[in-house]
Amino acid sequence: MSEQMHTSRQYDQVIAECRKVYLEKIQQYGTSWRVLRTISIADQIYIKAYRIRTIQEKQLQLVPESVVQEWIAMVNYGIIALIQFKLKNDERIDLPAEEALAYYDAAVSETKDLMLKKNHDYGEAWREMSLESLVDLILTKLLRIRQMVRNPQTDAEEQMYSNFQDIINYAVFALIKQREEHET
């Protein structure tokens, strides 16, 4: 099996896990995330990424919540951001679960397609990266998004969308890497 096919299958496995959490949250809370603005979603991801970075740097974790759950949350908040961009003119707060899942799946499909294209061009370089680098890249993307929210330009929405896609893919890569480390 080619590296690209292997990555694609691993990506699907990670997303299935993330999707399960997304569905559980919808069943618990509905689509209350519909009230979140771009900056709020970016801040939620920032909190998760910064926690991971702090644990990495201090080599100490006092709160017994899994770091894996933080990566999953970053994937799901990133996907929520993409859905919010698609629904910017839709003021509904409560989406039916099936509709929310359909939007989730469409965002994943588009983001995975981007990953496959970039992965082809970059030759699986992410496999050589550390988890520290992946979290730093996510934090960089979040700082860019914050800057775009503060100083909007004509193509800011498109750039923010692209940055959220990158965040999702970096978090999926981190989950794949953590899974591989756990298996060995």
Side-chain angles (χ1 to χ4, degrees), residues 22-140:
Y22 175 80
L23 180 57
E24 288 168 1
K25 298 287 186 186
I26 287 176
Q27 290 168 342
Q28 282 181 304
Y29 309 114
T31 54
S32 58
W33 49 262
R34 287 285 291 136
V35 302
L36 296 175
R37 291 173 278 188
T38 302
I39 193 67
S40 301
I41 297 168
D43 285 347
Q44 285 299 310
I45 298 169
Y46 185 86
I47 291 165
K48 306 297 183 188
Y50 203 81
R51 176 174 182 253
I52 292 171
R53 182 182 168 131
T54 301
I55 291 167
Q56 289 170 341
E57 288 177 348
K58 293 185 178 182
Q59 305 258 315
L60 178 65
Q61 179 176 340
L62 298 180
V63 178
E65 294 173 1
S66 167
V67 171
V68 168
Q69 293 306 312
E70 304 290 23
W71 291 110
I72 290 171
M74 284 191 272
V75 170
N76 284 341
Y77 275 117
I79 292 168
I80 285 168
L82 301 183
I83 294 169
Q84 292 288 66
F85 281 116
K86 296 289 185 190
L87 297 179
K88 68 180 177 188
N89 296 323
D90 186 335
E91 294 185 16
R92 293 177 298 158
I93 301 295
D94 297 317
L95 299 177
E98 311 78 47
E99 187 177 351
L101 283 171
Y103 283 120
Y104 186 96
D105 294 340
V108 165
S109 177
E110 181 183 14
T111 303
K112 181 183 177 187
D113 185 54
L114 174 67
M115 179 278 296
L116 291 171
K117 289 174 183 171
K118 285 187 173 186
N119 206 35
H120 173 272
D121 290 354
Y122 288 95
E124 300 268 323
W126 67 271
R127 289 192 181 274
E128 304 301 319
M129 294 173 66
S130 66
L131 291 173
E132 290 83 0
S133 292
L134 291 170
V135 83
D136 288 352
L137 288 170
I138 288 170
L139 288 166
T140 301

Side-chain angles (χ1 to χ4, degrees), residues 4-16:
Q4 190 83 335
M5 290 292 290
H6 183 60
T7 298
S8 180
R9 192 164 69 222
Q10 287 177 306
Y11 192 99
D12 292 343
Q13 290 167 347
V14 164
I15 288 295

Side-chain angles (χ1 to χ4, degrees), residues 167-179:
I167 288 167
I168 294 163
N169 285 331
Y170 294 148
V172 169
F173 292 157
L175 286 162
I176 291 170
K177 289 177 82 63
Q178 289 206 302
R179 210 181 237 194

